[in-house]
Amino acid sequence: MHTTIPAARDIAPRDLFSALRDQWKRDTLVESSMTAIVLHPAYQRIIGMGDRALPFLFAELKREPAQWFWALEAITGEDVASDDLPFAERVTRWLEWGRQHGFG
Amino acid sequence: MDLVERGSIESMFPGLRGTDWEQTSPADPAYNCIGWAAHDTMHWWWPSAHWPVGARRDTLESFTQAFQALGFGYTTNRDLERGVEKIAIYMKELIPSHAARQLVTGQWTSKLGSYVDIRHDLNAIEGDRYGRVVQVMARPIPV
């Protein structure tokens, strides 16, 4: 998949996250495969940002909830909200976890 | 309900052009096409995510097992039958990509990823994104 997003060393973390988020959302808008969604190169680059992505991920989860749970779990190592919980409950649990850890 | 531009959906699914289709829900990231086919709008059904029954593999067998657990059986008849609910599984490059559920009108309803629901003809969303319908399953409509 072609990407024009600059390397991390050439762009501020906030701008990098925004660019990767936009590309991921655009490319996976009508994708149903969770496998394809989380293996998308932009999503993987967000995971690769590590802790630097967390403030943006929690802000995004609050602003416009989406399937950010895999990234949050991969970066934090925490299993906060199982796939078997309803989406809204997963959002609530992760936002609460974020508040408890200084995000939001 | 916020209506999205028809052209944006038709550009992704060119087979919709000139057919009878409409958007039937706003965008919603909570559920996907498999959940929608199973009447579940709170979970994202996929073998690597929420998958109540069956093997957790991205294979046609896993998907048919999941729908069998909901009471569906194999059929080759894609037409509307009184008292019968049908779902259709699409595959692209040998991997399940999408599912649609038949409406009582005979048309089909689909959730497009995290985007919107649409009412459409079964074959109208076949193509580069979802591939083709490879299996139809049916069950008596629950009373």
Side-chain angles (χ1 to χ4, degrees), chain B residues 13 90-93 95 97-98 122-123 125-134:
Chain B
F13 301 98
Y90 297 67
M91 286 183 78
K92 181 184 176 187
E93 296 167 357
I95 297 174
S97 58
H98 183 69
L122 183 62
N123 297 329
I125 57 172
E126 288 183 326
D128 290 344
R129 289 188 180 267
Y130 290 161
R132 302 186 64 81
V133 174
V134 297

Side-chain angles (χ1 to χ4, degrees), chain A residues 30-104:
Chain A
V30 297
E31 178 65 66
S32 277
S33 165
M34 185 59 76
T35 310
I37 287 169
V38 301
L39 289 179
H40 186 280
Y43 197 89
Q44 289 293 305
R45 282 188 67 183
I46 287 173
I47 292 174
M49 291 175 68
D51 290 349
R52 292 182 305 151
L54 288 178
F56 313 124
L57 280 169
F58 283 109
E60 189 65 19
L61 193 62
K62 186 174 183 179
R63 184 186 73 88
E64 190 173 291
Q67 296 288 343
W68 292 116
F69 312 117
W70 278 64
L72 288 168
E73 193 170 322
I75 293 171
T76 66
E78 298 283 345
D79 182 12
V80 173
S82 135
D83 289 312
D84 296 327
L85 290 170
F87 179 84
E89 177 66 19
R90 300 179 80 192
V91 172
T92 299
R93 290 196 185 192
W94 270 109
L95 288 178
E96 178 58 28
W97 188 95
R99 276 190 291 273
Q100 291 172 359
H101 290 78
F103 301 105

Side-chain angles (χ1 to χ4, degrees), chain B residues 33-100:
Chain B
C33 60
I34 312 299
W36 181 237
H39 298 274
D40 180 353
T41 58
M42 292 192 293
H43 297 92
W44 193 282
W45 287 48
W46 203 259
S48 54
H50 174 73
W51 201 244
V53 291
R56 288 180 170 268
R57 290 189 294 271
D58 290 8
T59 63
L60 179 60
E61 183 182 19
S62 293
F63 282 69
T64 56
Q65 285 176 352
F67 282 106
Q68 282 174 326
L70 298 174
F72 288 90
Y74 296 111
T75 181
T76 56
N77 184 350
R78 303 178 178 195
D79 297 333
L80 181 65
E81 297 181 84
R82 183 184 297 273
V84 176
E85 181 176 61
K86 296 184 180 179
I87 62 95
I89 299 171
Y90 297 67
M91 286 183 78
K92 181 184 176 187
E93 296 167 357
L94 303 179
I95 297 174
S97 58
H98 183 69

